[in-house]
Amino acid sequence: MNRKRVIALAKLGILFGGPIALILGLFSCGVYCGHTSRVGILEFERDWLGMDVEVPSGGDDDDEAADKKGDEDDKAKDKAKDKEKEKKGDEDEDDGDSDQDGNANNKKSPKTKDAGEDGDEDEAKAPATKPVPAAPPPQAPPGVVVPPAEVEDPGPAVEVDPDLDSDLAALFDMPLTVRVKVLVDQELISARADWIDYVQRTVSQASMIYQEQFGITLELSAVGRWPVATAGMDSGQLLEDLRTRPQESADVVIGFTGRPLDEHVSGKAETPQQDSAFNGRVALVYGNARSQRPHLRTLLHEVSHLFGSKDITDRSDPNWLRKSWMSYAPVTDSERAWIDARNRKRILQSKGRPFPPQPATPAEEETP
């Protein structure tokens, strides 16, 4: 082999062997550091990363104690084996005397007993295992701010008048669940991709307000598309169309529309008279584009009409000035939801009335 070939092989060895040796050295160093610092690493994984790991409470001292205990156990086992051999030798010597003492082989050797006692002493001397403390909940590193969880809009706060006489209080305590079916027109569907979630959220917020004011729960039983050409139709025509729609298992049918307001009208509903045998069955709800909850206040207003509530149209009426939702007084999203005492009484007195039955010839309806 000539000198050039040797030099080339040496260069190849350095070229490939150097990185391999470096990698092996780093791996060995990492294994050594991980072994010597495993307690700190496990504590970091438990406290900061929230991992379910068992951390030794004593570190290296526990390892030394465990090694010492293992050595002592090995010595005790060796000692027991030696004494067992001695016992066998004694038994062989006593075979000649077996005729005189037939139970000699059944007697326990004193040496065997000593071995057992030594084992008990070893167990008593062995250090008890320390209980591992429960892992604390993970905490954010210093300087890191954890944002609060996003909370869904619960709706406006409710202002409830406490002055109910005994009869109205008894009616308030009587539970009532109204099953609501909502139909949504194409204008609102085009404006809101989340129209189903939006309807669920709006009805849920209205239900919480009705529970506080009247002890009434609004339960959304169905949401569907409303195939009606709203262009050119006024609120009366839209309400008439709703009367033809099947209510299925619901008590009332409510139409949500995204079309502009019909002049000053923001909704329409069947309003029964005081001596009527039934509550109303259908309602139309427009949206207020300037509000963060466009259809909520109108929904409160129109559902109240189904129980016989009346509009407040006099701007000088104290209930208008206090912004009862049965008035058309402008409100902001931060103002409390409140209804005047007269209309609250009408609703409480109508809780016992049934809702009218399903119409005889319902129209076909599309579903989402």
Side-chain angles (χ1 to χ4, degrees):
M1 183 180 294
N2 57 27
R3 184 171 178 272
K4 292 183 178 180
R5 184 172 295 179
V6 172
I7 293 174
L9 292 174
K11 289 181 178 179
L12 287 173
I14 294 172
L15 180 62
F16 292 102
I20 294 174
L22 179 61
I23 292 173
L24 292 176
L26 292 174
F27 177 76
S28 302
C29 182
V31 172
Y32 174 77
C33 294
H35 176 72
T36 56
S37 306
R38 65 185 182 281
V39 175
I41 295 173
L42 291 174
E43 289 179 349
F44 175 81
E45 292 176 346
R46 182 192 66 188
D47 298 338
W48 297 98
L49 302 182
M51 299 174 65
D52 186 13
V53 296
E54 183 176 352
V55 181
S57 58
D60 295 336
D61 294 339
D62 285 347
D63 294 339
E64 294 177 0
D67 295 339
K68 184 177 180 182
K69 180 182 178 183
D71 295 339
E72 291 177 354
D73 292 340
D74 293 338
K75 290 180 181 179
K77 291 179 181 178
D78 294 339
K79 187 176 180 182
K81 289 180 180 179
D82 294 339
K83 291 185 178 181
E84 187 176 353
K85 290 179 181 179
E86 292 177 4
K87 176 184 175 183
K88 289 183 179 180
D90 294 340
E91 289 176 352
D92 293 339
E93 292 176 358
D94 293 341
D95 284 342
D97 301 333
S98 59
D99 294 336
Q100 298 177 0
D101 190 357
N103 297 326
N105 292 329
N106 296 329
K107 292 182 179 180
K108 183 181 290 187
S109 171
K111 294 181 180 181
T112 305
K113 181 179 180 182
D114 293 340
E117 291 176 354
D118 291 340
D120 295 339
E121 291 177 0
D122 292 337
E123 290 181 1
K125 291 179 181 178
T129 303
K130 297 181 181 180
V132 179
Q139 299 177 354
V144 177
V145 179
V146 179
E150 185 177 354
V151 179
E152 187 177 345
D153 178 18
V158 186
E159 182 179 352
V160 182
D161 293 338
D163 52 345
L164 284 178
D165 58 34
S166 58
D167 293 337
L168 293 180
L171 293 173
F172 177 90
D173 293 334
M174 179 182 66
L176 174 65
T177 298
V178 180
R179 293 166 298 177
V180 179
K181 177 179 180 180
V182 175
L183 298 178
V184 184
D185 70 357
Q186 188 58 43
E187 281 78 0
L188 184 56
I189 293 174
S190 300
R192 301 193 69 103
D194 63 335
W195 59 277
I196 296 179
D197 292 337
Y198 172 72
V199 170
Q200 292 175 333
R201 183 167 58 252
T202 303
V203 174
S204 176
Q205 292 172 351
S207 179
M208 289 188 289
I209 296 172
Y210 267 60
Q211 289 170 6
E212 294 285 340
Q213 294 283 7
F214 320 110
I216 296 175
T217 300
L218 303 181
E219 181 182 279
L220 184 63
S221 63
V223 181
R225 295 176 183 270
W226 184 13
V228 59
T230 57
M233 299 180 68
D234 60 21
S235 58
Q237 292 171 320
L238 292 174
L239 190 68
E240 189 62 34
D241 183 85
L242 284 172
R243 290 192 177 99
T244 67
R245 304 293 170 176
Q247 67 188 55
E248 299 173 340
S249 61
D251 297 312
V252 298
V253 178
I254 299 177
F256 274 41
T257 177
R259 59 168 288 174
L261 299 183
D262 182 9
E263 296 180 353
H264 66 282
V265 176
S266 60
K268 201 173 186 65
E270 294 178 343
T271 305
Q273 299 299 322
Q274 187 174 359
D275 58 350
S276 175
F278 297 101
N279 287 316
R281 189 183 69 87
V282 294
L284 173 67
V285 176
Y286 286 75
N288 180 6
R290 294 172 297 179
S291 173
Q292 295 179 357
R293 311 178 188 98
H295 290 79
L296 177 59
R297 184 174 175 87
T298 308
L299 179 62
L300 297 174
H301 183 103
E302 302 306 332
V303 173
S304 297
H305 274 311
L306 297 179
F307 287 95
S309 292
K310 306 294 183 181
D311 286 329
I312 300 174
T313 57
D314 185 2
R315 294 175 177 269
S316 62
D317 190 316
N319 294 316
W320 175 291
L321 300 177
R322 283 194 61 185
K323 300 182 179 181
S324 167
W325 72 59
M326 291 311 299
S327 71
Y328 294 95
V331 295
T332 62
D333 291 323
S334 61
E335 294 185 80
R336 296 176 180 270
W338 175 79
I339 188 171
D340 58 282
R342 287 176 297 182
N343 280 313
R344 188 185 184 199
K345 180 178 179 180
R346 292 187 180 109
I347 294 175
L348 290 173
Q349 291 176 338
S350 300
K351 285 179 66 174
R353 286 194 304 204
F355 292 91
Q358 170 75 33
T361 56
E364 292 296 325
E365 168 198 334
E366 294 182 6
T367 56

